[in-house]
Amino acid sequence: MTPTKTSSHARSTLSLLAVASATAWMTLPTDAEAATRMRCSHQLPPAHHISKVIDRWAAEVKTLSDGDLDVQVFGSDSLIKANDNILAVAKGDIECAFSLNFQWGKTLPLMNVTVGPYTMSSIEAWKKWPTSEAATFLEERLLKKGVKNVVWMFQTNTSVFTSKGKPLLKPVDFQGLKMRGIGPAFDRGLKAMGATPVAIPGSEVYQALATGVIDTAITDVAAAWSRKYYEVQDHMTVVPVLAAYLHGYVNPGWYDKLTDKDKAALKKAGEDAAAWALEASQEAAANAPAELESKGVKVHVATPEENAAFKAAMAPAFAEGFADETGADGRKLLELVQKLQ
């Protein structure tokens, strides 16, 4: 059989198909052109007001980066455990995480400056915090520890001492109680009142209270609601004893590879989220006492005299511990914090 000759028209069609195929292959998205993955781990449950702010922040980052940053949020310790978040980001295992300031413990005890009993309870001071010298000072120290800070989220200046059977109204009431601790310096104040601090991640406190591993806890008044402490504790004393914040941070190596546009998106989203967190925290703190009472909790707001007694018992012990842990940097940071008052 005589081979069939390919017509010039057919050859032309095949050539065009080959060019089209090659062009399509060349224009397929490469890894470099795809959205940059940004996995963010945190410990808060979905109902927590700051958890909702984190979700809003993530959406804002995606919007401002025009989808270049694919922010994936993993809450409730679902990706990395709370105490492992800092190391995971510093090592580059994940790109981003959020931690409470006192979770820095001995790694960077400067972060506990706002945990000092009755040190920074002013909302006006917190409005100034994100762009303050104090915040910049901490951001520089965080970078030295291997993480780049991208957002400050005020969580509370209103805490509760939780208990079962009777309220905790004065320092002597803490005598002999096993209590969830916050961190070395703050726990000195608890010990000064006769309590025995126990280190427990926030996600495990409910179970510890339910099973009697600890007798009492201190937590954000809104967290007492969102974490359902009312199911295992029936008395709560509201005290402005400490100020806590959650902060978001990323791996510096990962950050340095971002475009200027994406870095600007993170900066703007961080500034916006700081304001959202302040608003959400004030609202949650205002609503939580009544919500707790609706579940049968006996809520007592500490009087000025009761707060003075707590401060007198706790503040000297904290100050001594904070000075020992932070040295000259701690003294400098306290001076910067005082400028905000």
Side-chain angles (χ1 to χ4, degrees), residues 307-320:
N307 280 317
F310 285 135
K311 182 176 181 179
M314 299 178 71
F318 173 87
E320 181 181 355

Side-chain angles (χ1 to χ4, degrees), residues 44 50 54 98-100 151-155 244-248:
L44 300 176
I50 293 297
I54 292 174
F98 289 79
S99 292
L100 287 161
V151 58
W152 299 103
M153 293 186 179
F154 168 77
Q155 181 168 323
Y245 56 87
L246 198 79
H247 72 115

Side-chain angles (χ1 to χ4, degrees), residues 238-271:
V238 180
V239 283
V241 68
L242 64 86
Y245 56 87
L246 198 79
H247 72 115
Y249 48 91
V250 298
N251 176 272
W254 174 87
Y255 177 85
D256 289 343
K257 294 175 183 176
L258 297 180
T259 64
D260 288 344
K261 173 188 172 184
D262 291 347
K263 289 177 181 177
L266 279 173
K267 185 176 187 297
K268 180 64 168 63
E271 292 169 351

Side-chain angles (χ1 to χ4, degrees), residues 62-143:
K62 286 184 181 180
T63 298
L64 293 175
S65 68
D66 292 327
D68 290 344
L69 292 176
D70 178 21
V71 189
Q72 303 167 13
V73 176
F74 300 85
S76 301
D77 284 342
S78 59
L79 182 63
I80 304 288
K81 292 295 184 182
N83 291 339
D84 298 326
N85 277 329
I86 295 167
L87 184 58
V89 172
K91 288 171 59 181
D93 293 340
I94 57 174
E95 296 76 34
C96 161
F98 289 79
S99 292
L100 287 161
N101 53 315
F102 51 78
Q103 286 171 329
W104 278 89
K106 294 181 179 179
T107 304
L108 188 60
L110 285 170
M111 294 291 280
N112 289 329
V113 65
T114 66
V115 179
Y118 302 88
T119 295
M120 193 167 162
S121 301
S122 165
I123 290 296
E124 290 306 311
W126 276 105
K127 288 179 180 178
K128 304 171 189 174
W129 175 266
T131 57
S132 68
E133 292 179 87
T136 299
F137 186 86
L138 283 178
E139 287 171 354
E140 292 170 354
R141 298 312 185 272
L142 285 165
L143 196 56

Side-chain angles (χ1 to χ4, degrees), residues 158-161 221 236-241 289 292 299-303 307:
T158 309
S159 305
V160 285
F161 291 134
V221 62
M236 297 190 189
T237 301
V238 180
V239 283
V241 68
L292 290 166
V299 177
H300 171 76
V301 178
T303 66
N307 280 317

